[in-house]
Amino acid sequence: MAADVTTDQTDGASGPAPGTQRPGGRTARTRASVLEAALAELVEHGYADTRIDRIADRAGVAATTVYRRWGSLENIVVDLADHLAVSISLGAAATLEEDLRAVARAVVALHGDPAHRAWLRAMVSAAAGSAKAQGALADVLAHRRELTSVAVAEALARGEVPSGTDPHEVIRATVAPLYLRMYITGEPVGEPEADRAAAAAALAARAGLYVTGTG
Amino acid sequence: MAADVTTDQTDGASGPAPGTQRPGGRTARTRASVLEAALAELVEHGYADTRIDRIADRAGVAATTVYRRWGSLENIVVDLADHLAVSISLGAAATLEEDLRAVARAVVALHGDPAHRAWLRAMVSAAAGSAKAQGALADVLAHRRELTSVAVAEALARGEVPSGTDPHEVIRATVAPLYLRMYITGEPVGEPEADRAAAAAALAARAGLYVTGTG
């Protein structure tokens, strides 16, 4: 089954950004232009070689405007998290493994999107050297785990996994082998890796390995 | 059981480096000083804020010497891979899970070493933006998987896992949840996470989930 995953490259999905004059106003439009330009530059040049002045050129604004608003490339990359909001809809699967397969395939599908891949690479690169970027990346991934933890909640309700199973641990186990390949070793990922990761996480969850705390 | 893991911060564990005049000669000593200085700077400042001129100062050599030999901080970080050779000895464990637990705890123990952690963070950061650094990081991790795949070879010999089980996939599954926390989300890791990852990987391996190819 294919995962229903969409990248929502619009502005304001999570409310007006700081500094927005009004929805759709000039400041909001500038923000959207700069973020789109930053994404295009990241895809073309990668994080290490992306320059704020080229982002400003591409967005048609003064570099000083970009520096005043964001201060650094790292802050732009962090701001892109809201801009690239992802929604993942899990179908009414009959088993945990089926739902986790949808989650794993969604992760692989997002990695196949050049803009999303370039942005996540930038986040991983920035996170390795900055507590702020690492916190932002952790928030993005925690939010995605929250979106997908319904799969585990349903498995709990069905009695498929033992009471006290930690949904976040199940999702972490599902996505970890994919993130290792995508953003650390750079090895290829596809549906076989996604399905294998989902099967392993479902098996371990059913065996009670993700029961944590006193739950 | 504690893993027998050592970080071998000596020079020449993998033979004389390019440009070495003779083992222990002036060039080798310069290389060792610069790599030690780079490690200390990475621990203090992180990859994003480490500067070659400060490394040169600390090593007591001219910055031009460092630039001539390495050209960039990225190349120094890649060169540290040989300098920080790791050896992992697996004991004569009775079960795959026990051996994988030793592997997982060794990974967590290395992360507890500030120098090793700072260097791997630098590698992850560089790898996200550079094919060369990503190749070097992939080589480092493949080498470690090779060192530890004896655990899976023994499980195969015992008939504990099905024929055709891919040792690298088993090790990837063991370490992936740890790398996700250590180098992507920055969440804490300890022995509970190590043991859980080992148990899940052993369970999935016994169930035949890591049988790949036509083996």
Side-chain angles (χ1 to χ4, degrees):
Chain A
M1 61 177 285
D4 179 11
V5 55
T6 55
T7 54
D8 179 16
Q9 296 188 25
T10 60
D11 209 44
S14 49
T20 299
Q21 291 175 328
R22 61 176 192 278
R26 194 171 59 85
T27 307
R29 282 198 307 274
T30 298
R31 175 171 179 263
S33 306
V34 169
L35 293 181
E36 282 300 325
L39 210 47
E41 289 286 321
L42 286 171
V43 170
E44 258 181 48
H45 304 291
Y47 184 61
D49 294 320
T50 288
R51 301 280 166 260
I52 286 185
D53 55 352
R54 282 204 303 252
I55 293 173
D57 278 355
R58 192 185 273 253
V61 302
T64 49
T65 303
V66 179
Y67 279 107
R68 200 167 47 235
R69 178 150 185 176
W70 284 276
S72 69
L73 178 60
E74 181 194 318
N75 288 335
I76 298 176
V77 168
V78 167
D79 203 12
L80 274 166
D82 288 336
H83 191 67
L84 286 171
V86 165
S87 55
I88 301 176
S89 307
L90 295 174
T95 64
L96 177 61
E97 181 172 344
E98 207 180 320
D99 262 339
L100 294 182
R101 206 182 299 140
V103 171
R105 288 186 181 190
V107 168
V108 170
L110 281 171
H111 186 66
D113 171 356
H116 198 273
R117 185 172 61 234
W119 167 67
L120 255 176
R121 276 189 187 283
M123 285 290 275
V124 169
S125 187
S130 143
K132 184 187 169 182
Q134 184 147 77
L137 178 55
D139 286 349
V140 165
L141 297 181
H143 177 65
R144 292 186 184 180
R145 285 199 304 274
E146 205 54 54
L147 287 176
T148 50
S149 63
V150 61
V152 184
E154 286 176 5
L156 277 161
R158 281 192 302 266
E160 194 184 349
V161 297
S163 158
T165 296
D166 177 348
H168 281 249
E169 272 302 278
V170 178
I171 304 296
R172 279 191 195 95
T174 305
V175 304
L178 308 174
Y179 274 90
L180 177 71
R181 286 171 175 270
M182 294 185 308
Y183 298 108
I184 295 184
T185 66
E187 294 166 303
V189 283
E191 295 204 341
E193 286 76 25
D195 294 356
R196 198 181 299 141
L203 183 66
R206 288 197 304 267
L209 291 181
Y210 304 122
V211 176
T212 56
T214 56
Chain B
M1 60 178 282
D4 178 11
V5 54
T6 55
T7 53
D8 179 16
Q9 296 187 28
T10 61
D11 209 42
S14 49
T20 299
Q21 292 175 327
R22 60 176 194 278
R26 195 170 61 83
T27 307
R29 282 199 306 274
T30 298
R31 174 171 180 264
S33 306
V34 169
L35 293 180
E36 282 300 324
L39 210 46
E41 289 286 323
L42 286 170
V43 171
E44 260 181 46
H45 305 290
Y47 184 61
D49 294 320
T50 288
R51 301 281 166 258
I52 285 184
D53 55 352
R54 283 204 303 252
I55 293 174
D57 277 355
R58 190 185 274 253
V61 302
T64 49
T65 304
V66 179
Y67 280 108
R68 201 167 47 233
R69 177 148 184 179
W70 284 277
S72 69
L73 179 59
E74 180 194 319
N75 288 336
I76 298 175
V77 167
V78 167
D79 203 12
L80 275 166
D82 288 336
H83 192 66
L84 285 171
V86 165
S87 54
I88 301 175
S89 306
L90 294 174
T95 64
L96 177 61
E97 181 173 344
E98 207 180 320
D99 263 339
L100 295 182
R101 205 182 298 140
V103 171
R105 289 187 179 190
V107 168
V108 170
L110 281 172
H111 187 66
D113 171 356
H116 198 273
R117 185 172 63 235
W119 167 67
L120 255 175
R121 276 189 187 281
M123 285 289 276
V124 169
S125 187
S130 143
K132 183 185 169 185
Q134 183 146 78
L137 178 55
D139 286 348
V140 166
L141 298 181
H143 177 65
R144 292 186 185 181
R145 285 199 304 273
E146 206 54 54
L147 287 176
T148 51
S149 63
V150 61
V152 184
E154 286 176 5
L156 276 161
R158 282 192 301 267
E160 193 184 348
V161 297
S163 158
T165 296
D166 178 347
H168 282 248
E169 272 302 278
V170 178
I171 304 296
R172 278 191 196 95
T174 305
V175 304
L178 308 174
Y179 275 91
L180 176 71
R181 286 171 174 269
M182 295 184 307
Y183 298 108
I184 295 184
T185 65
E187 294 166 302
V189 283
E191 295 203 343
E193 287 76 25
D195 295 357
R196 198 181 299 141
L203 183 66
R206 288 198 303 267
L209 291 182
Y210 304 122
V211 175
T212 56
T214 55

